[in-house]
């Protein structure tokens, strides 16, 4: 998993996404704040009950972009 902070830059469906994600203190979940240029910030967290990643309810970006962010959080050493 991602330690504390990571810059983000990736392309999904021809659109460039730039920003960063940062681990935030949460006593119940592994939680990250995500800030992308041109979008409202949002959170992504790992629900410990069903071991599924979740995102803030009103995230207004392509679900494939969220999947890419989750992949980068989950496997940071494999992403260049």
């Amino acid at each position: 998993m991602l330690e504390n902070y990571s810059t983000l830059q990736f392309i999904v469906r021809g659109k460039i996404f730039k920003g960063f994600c940062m681990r935030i203190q949460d006593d119940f979940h592994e939680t990250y704040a995500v800030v992308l240029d041109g979008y409202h910030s949002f959170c992504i967290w790992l629900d410990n009950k069903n071991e599924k990643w979740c995102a803030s309810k009103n995230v207004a970006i392509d679900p494939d972009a969220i999947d890419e962010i989750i992949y980068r959080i989950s496997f940071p050493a494999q992403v260049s």
Side-chain angles (χ1 to χ4, degrees), residues 1-8 21-26 29-33 44 53 69-77:
M1 299 293 167
L2 182 69
E3 289 299 321
N4 289 316
Y5 177 90
S6 179
T7 58
L8 296 171
C21 63
M22 178 176 59
R23 189 167 187 173
I24 57 176
Q25 180 62 39
D26 183 335
H29 303 97
E30 181 174 342
T31 305
Y32 296 88
I44 293 177
W53 284 97
I69 294 165
I70 291 168
Y71 177 79
R72 289 167 179 265
I73 289 170
S74 300
F75 305 103

Side-chain angles (χ1 to χ4, degrees), residues 8 15-20 34-42 58-62:
L8 296 171
K15 182 167 181 150
I16 298 172
F17 292 87
K18 292 181 184 180
F20 66 91
V34 180
V35 178
L36 297 174
D37 293 347
Y39 295 92
H40 289 286
S41 60
F42 59 94
N58 297 319
V59 176
I61 66 171
D62 188 310

